[in-house]
Amino acid sequence: AYRTNRWYVAAYCELRGSVRMFRVDRIEQLEVTEETFARPEDVTFIELARDTLAGHSKTDASWVTVRIGGDSDVLESIGNQYFVQPFLTEHTDRELRFEMPPSVMLTYMPHLLLSFGTLVSVLEPSLLGERIAELCHEIAEHHTSPKLP
């Protein structure tokens, strides 16, 4: 599959014991075997990506709605990030809406959104905005009180 300017392949991962997505440019070694894999017809790339990142099914009731506001070009860039795209449910000129597990929201979204500074705003949930503020504080503390390794 070709998504967000990268090639991906779905394949069985012997280390993880399941079907996983692999970025083609990160594959260091490949061995051709006689084994084959039949892709289930009811599985799409987006579903595989979402389930791989989320670690469980979308039917889990604990998923949250994440709404991000901002400039259309910035929102386009955010929406095209491979690790959040599977959770994107709505994209307008001024807003992105995602449905995702809290673990994905708190792991990926704060760092991603922080990289856009004041060009984006968290509209929902407040927990995400609070986590970004905590992260900013941690970064400021680190740079104002450097510690030698």
Side-chain angles (χ1 to χ4, degrees):
Y2 187 76
R3 305 241 356 127
T4 62
N5 299 321
R6 303 271 194 253
W7 280 101
Y8 294 85
V9 62
Y12 184 80
C13 175
E14 293 196 10
L15 178 65
R16 303 284 186 234
S18 65
V19 176
R20 308 278 300 216
M21 295 181 320
F22 299 92
R23 261 184 51 183
V24 173
D25 63 314
R26 292 184 176 169
I27 296 174
E28 295 178 2
Q29 184 178 351
L30 178 71
E31 180 182 336
V32 179
T33 68
E34 297 297 318
E35 295 180 56
T36 61
F37 169 75
R39 179 179 68 93
E41 291 188 26
D42 61 340
V43 176
T44 66
F45 176 82
I46 292 294
E47 290 167 336
L48 181 59
R50 182 192 65 226
D51 292 346
T52 298
L53 291 166
H56 52 77
S57 169
K58 183 163 183 349
T59 59
D60 186 332
S62 68
W63 284 40
V64 295
T65 298
V66 175
R67 294 176 47 233
I68 308 298
D71 174 76
S72 62
D73 290 338
V74 172
L75 294 178
E76 183 75 24
S77 180
I78 294 169
N80 281 332
Q81 298 295 314
Y82 82 93
F83 51 88
V84 296
Q85 191 179 40
F87 305 102
L88 184 62
T89 59
E90 186 178 337
H91 183 175
T92 68
D93 285 345
R94 289 293 189 200
E95 184 178 323
L96 296 176
R97 183 181 298 256
F98 301 91
E99 296 291 331
M100 61 180 54
S103 61
V104 172
M105 175 188 73
L106 293 173
T107 300
Y108 297 106
M109 296 300 282
H111 297 276
L112 172 62
L113 298 177
L114 189 57
S115 70
F116 291 95
T118 59
L119 298 175
V120 296
S121 297
V122 175
L123 305 175
E124 181 185 344
S126 60
L127 178 62
L128 178 56
E130 292 165 8
R131 178 61 190 125
I132 293 170
E134 289 172 5
L135 187 58
C136 289
H137 178 74
E138 291 169 14
I139 292 168
E141 187 70 25
H142 171 79
H143 289 289
T144 56
S145 303
K147 295 168 183 56
L148 296 174

